[in-house]
Amino acid sequence: MDDSKRLNPSRRSELFDILLDTAQAISISSVSAQSIDLCDIRKASLTAMTRAVNGLAITPRFALVDGRDIPPGLPCQAQALIKGDSRSQSIAAASIVAKVARDRMMGRAGAVYPDFGLQNNAGYGTVEHREAIDQVGGIERFHRFSFSPFRQGKLDL
């Protein structure tokens, strides 16, 4: 187990399958682009973390959280760990699950919106993706229109 950013996609996928087979419980949550636009990415991330913990099939006794903030509304005590995915096996495991789930979601979205290169950008704006947004515009309910390039009416390429 390692920080998901240090693993190649095939190793992350392999570990994802192992985690699904062996974990006592796994819960995945996301927050819509519209919800992020209404608050901000930090608050949206905390909301998704709370939903994921509350969605577990078992109630945890303690939660380790990657970052500096403890999400509100957890059913247990928690500790925040800055750079937690390189300091904690459980946070690294959660990071792998999150990254693989996101990459698979982006792959499916890429099949629906092939012009945007979503299957290749893994959630980060590649030049191909930004050029498509410049030419076609953003995808309603998918892109965060509060993101500064959208607010300014252009994307910096």
Side-chain angles (χ1 to χ4, degrees):
M1 203 67 60
D2 196 359
D3 179 343
S4 63
K5 293 179 286 301
R6 288 190 275 209
L7 301 170
N8 66 45
S10 64
R11 181 65 178 147
R12 277 195 305 264
S13 187
E14 181 182 315
L15 289 169
F16 177 86
D17 292 338
I18 291 169
L19 289 165
L20 288 183
D21 288 342
T22 60
Q24 289 182 2
I26 291 178
S27 175
I28 298 172
S29 177
S30 63
V31 176
S32 71
Q34 293 155 313
S35 293
I36 296 168
D37 281 344
L38 290 173
C39 59
D40 61 51
I41 192 70
R42 183 184 144 278
K43 289 178 186 169
S45 295
L46 293 172
T47 296
M49 286 184 232
T50 299
R51 288 180 186 168
V53 172
N54 287 327
L56 289 167
I58 59 173
T59 301
R61 287 180 273 161
F62 193 82
L64 290 174
V65 181
D66 189 22
R68 64 179 173 84
D69 300 311
I70 295 172
L74 295 180
C76 61
Q77 290 186 335
Q79 178 182 350
L81 287 177
I82 294 172
K83 299 187 189 248
D85 49 1
S86 62
R87 299 172 59 198
S88 162
Q89 292 285 298
S90 59
I91 292 175
S95 177
I96 290 166
V97 169
K99 197 172 280 358
V100 171
R102 187 233 23 230
D103 290 351
R104 291 179 182 180
M105 180 190 74
M106 294 298 284
R108 287 193 285 285
V112 175
Y113 302 105
D115 295 341
F116 290 87
L118 299 171
Q119 65 279 9
N120 301 321
N121 74 20
Y124 303 103
T126 61
V127 170
E128 173 190 17
H129 182 78
R130 290 179 290 176
E131 286 175 348
I133 292 170
D134 247 5
Q135 294 170 8
V136 182
I139 303 167
E140 191 68 36
R141 301 186 65 198
F142 186 83
H143 285 107
R144 292 183 291 131
F145 289 97
S146 64
F147 186 56
S148 63
F150 283 110
R151 286 195 320 264
Q152 296 166 2
K154 65 178 179 73
L155 290 170
D156 299 322
L157 300 175

